[in-house]
Amino acid sequence: MNNNPLSVRIAGLELRNPTLLASGILGYTAESLQRVIEGGAGAVVTKSVGVAPRMGYANPTVVQASGGLINAMGLPNPGIDEYAAEIIHAKTVVKAPLIMSVFGYSADEFALVAGKAVEAGADAVELNVSCPHVKLTGSEIGQNPKLIAEVVSKVKAAVRKPVIVKLTPNVTDIAETAKAAVKAGADALTAINTVKALAIDVETAFPILSNVRGGLSGSAIKPIALRCVYDLYEQVKTFIIGCGGITTWQDAVEFLLAGASAVQIGTAVALEDPNVFQAVNRGIKTYLKKKRYKSVQEVVGFAHRT
Ligand code: RRO
């Protein structure tokens, strides 16, 4: 019997603990992914990658906000063919599940990139249908249940690894888009991507980001993300991975109680360092012991009891 109380199983992925690196932070190289695993993460998610290389937006691409960061990076990535070589290398050094975040401008592109990612060794793919500020992809797909379903169906037909769908909070009802994803075959959901936001410089009297609008992440969005996970747990039967402002073990436990089977951490890694995973896991372990739980699984969704 597995006597590690922190271990979790999500859609067939075995994790030594319920913390994952969120997409977008330290996700480009085998070495940075390895550093995150040494910092205690149970799995890693890469930066989103598409069919062709993209430069991303001009600077400034990130601005600090109260309780977080607003970014509009603009999906900078080297394209799947170049990135596949990095994944092949990463698989030799990263001793934990490696999840590739993929995006496309059509369902066929998503399927093409996901297929190449799995061929290169990805243990699962996370579909980015939720980037809030790049035209014709991201949340322009993820806000539309029909388009989400088409993307998920095509990816499921193309790969035999778990397909995780990362949802946008920038919708009226997150359960609606989630249901479309699950009906089309999604094996798990990540909730949430960043919240659409803006910052203005009072001296220049212009928006700060070159793209004007960006996505807010960090502790400022934690209550929004937590509510999304709670809603999803009530309405959708699948694995949920919580993401949005998780910094401390208490944040992580809140997400587990709301119904997440695991959590992703991104902005806290950027603002602190990769050892945040160790600290969060240590805290979860102590909490389980104090409350006499034998596993993380016993906590998942416990806040919903009647
Ligand atoms: O690259 C970005 O600007 C970006 C992406 Br792909 C995303 O999914 N979420 C976000 O806040 N920024």
Side-chain angles (χ1 to χ4, degrees):
M1 198 186 125
N2 182 352
N3 57 6
N4 169 12
L6 288 179
S7 68
V8 292
R9 213 183 139 87
I10 297 172
L13 294 174
E14 304 273 359
L15 273 58
R16 65 185 167 138
N17 68 60
T19 62
L20 298 86
L21 175 70
S23 180
I25 309 283
L26 295 181
Y28 282 110
T29 69
E31 284 68 26
S32 64
L33 294 171
Q34 171 61 7
R35 171 68 189 95
V36 168
I37 294 298
E38 281 165 14
V44 289
V45 187
T46 68
K47 176 68 183 164
S48 300
V49 62
V51 171
R54 255 185 78 98
M55 283 285 289
Y57 297 138
N59 282 325
T61 51
V62 187
V63 57
Q64 193 132 16
S66 27
L69 302 172
I70 306 175
N71 89 84
M73 308 299 294
L75 275 164
N77 80 97
I80 185 63
D81 290 332
E82 188 177 323
Y83 200 71
E86 195 65 32
I87 291 305
I88 291 167
H89 173 40
K91 281 298 292 175
T92 65
V93 292
V94 174
K95 302 288 177 232
L98 195 157
I99 301 164
M100 255 184 98
S101 172
V102 304
F103 79 95
Y105 297 97
S106 66
D108 286 327
E109 279 197 12
F110 268 95
L112 177 71
V113 180
K116 289 188 177 189
V118 168
E119 213 173 284
D123 298 294
V125 291
E126 183 181 81
L127 308 184
N128 185 346
V129 289
S130 44
C131 174
H133 45 247
V134 177
K135 294 224 172 307
L136 303 176
T137 185
S139 59
E140 290 194 12
I141 293 171
Q143 288 165 337
N144 181 330
K146 251 180 86 178
L147 294 181
I148 290 197
E150 194 190 338
V151 167
V152 174
S153 301
K154 286 224 162 142
V155 172
K156 281 295 287 181
V159 301
R160 289 221 175 85
K161 293 282 180 184
V163 174
I164 304 165
V165 176
K166 188 165 184 179
L167 298 170
T168 176
N170 303 309
V171 286
T172 308
D173 179 9
I174 196 166
E176 194 190 336
T177 45
K179 282 176 190 165
V182 172
K183 198 162 166 222
D187 300 293
L189 303 170
T190 299
I192 55 177
N193 206 314
T194 53
V195 177
K196 212 165 180 177
L198 179 77
I200 290 177
D201 182 331
V202 294
E203 291 306 323
T204 64
F206 278 120
I208 294 174
L209 297 172
S210 75
N211 186 59
V212 180
R213 294 167 187 83
L216 178 62
S217 63
S219 45
I221 69 165
K222 196 199 81 178
I224 299 171
L226 192 65
R227 185 268 303 164
C228 288
V229 168
Y230 195 90
D231 285 352
L232 292 175
Y233 188 83
E234 276 183 347
Q235 297 192 54
V236 187
K237 288 285 153 269
T238 193
F239 294 99
I240 304 166
I241 303 171
C243 179
I246 295 151
T247 308
T248 65
W249 69 263
Q250 290 94 333
D251 296 334
V253 170
E254 274 190 81
F255 277 81
L256 298 175
L257 291 167
S261 294
V263 296
Q264 294 184 356
I265 306 180
T267 300
V269 178
L271 295 178
E272 296 179 24
D273 67 68
N275 297 329
V276 65
F277 293 99
Q278 275 165 13
V280 168
N281 282 314
R282 215 177 296 126
I284 298 173
K285 196 169 176 182
T286 306
Y287 176 83
L288 294 179
K289 197 167 172 198
K290 186 175 139 211
K291 297 282 189 183
R292 299 182 192 278
Y293 293 121
K294 292 195 173 48
S295 69
V296 166
Q297 188 50 44
E298 288 179 41
V299 181
V300 173
F302 196 55
H304 294 262
R305 73 193 179 285
T306 47

